[in-house]
Amino acid sequence: MQSLEGWQAWDLLIKLSPTIDRKFPVTDALKLGATLGYEPHAMAEFLPEIAHGVALGFKDLEQN
């Protein structure tokens, strides 16, 4: 990651990946990020993009 905030968003993805079932739990990620003291404005920017990427990944799996 290119920034601390980017690393924090990636960390949330890794921590929550076992719970992902077809869609990324953005609300849970925001709560966990707040608990860990991660920058809330950055998480609000990064996490929807992560959720979009997860959705595209599942869509690709379904098509192939």
Side-chain angles (χ1 to χ4, degrees):
M1 299 271 89
Q2 296 292 324
S3 66
L4 175 61
E5 292 82 4
W7 179 88
Q8 291 171 342
W10 183 256
D11 184 51
L12 291 174
L13 171 63
I14 298 303
K15 283 179 172 36
L16 292 171
S17 62
T19 68
I20 296 172
D21 183 31
R22 299 279 181 220
K23 70 182 222 182
F24 184 75
V26 175
T27 302
D28 293 342
L30 288 168
K31 288 178 186 176
L32 180 57
T35 299
L36 294 171
Y38 292 173
E39 213 305 313
H41 294 100
M43 295 307 103
E45 289 288 333
F46 287 128
L47 293 175
E49 295 298 322
I50 289 173
H52 182 69
V54 168
L56 289 175
F58 277 115
K59 183 178 178 181
D60 187 52
L61 283 174
E62 291 171 357
Q63 292 176 349
N64 295 317

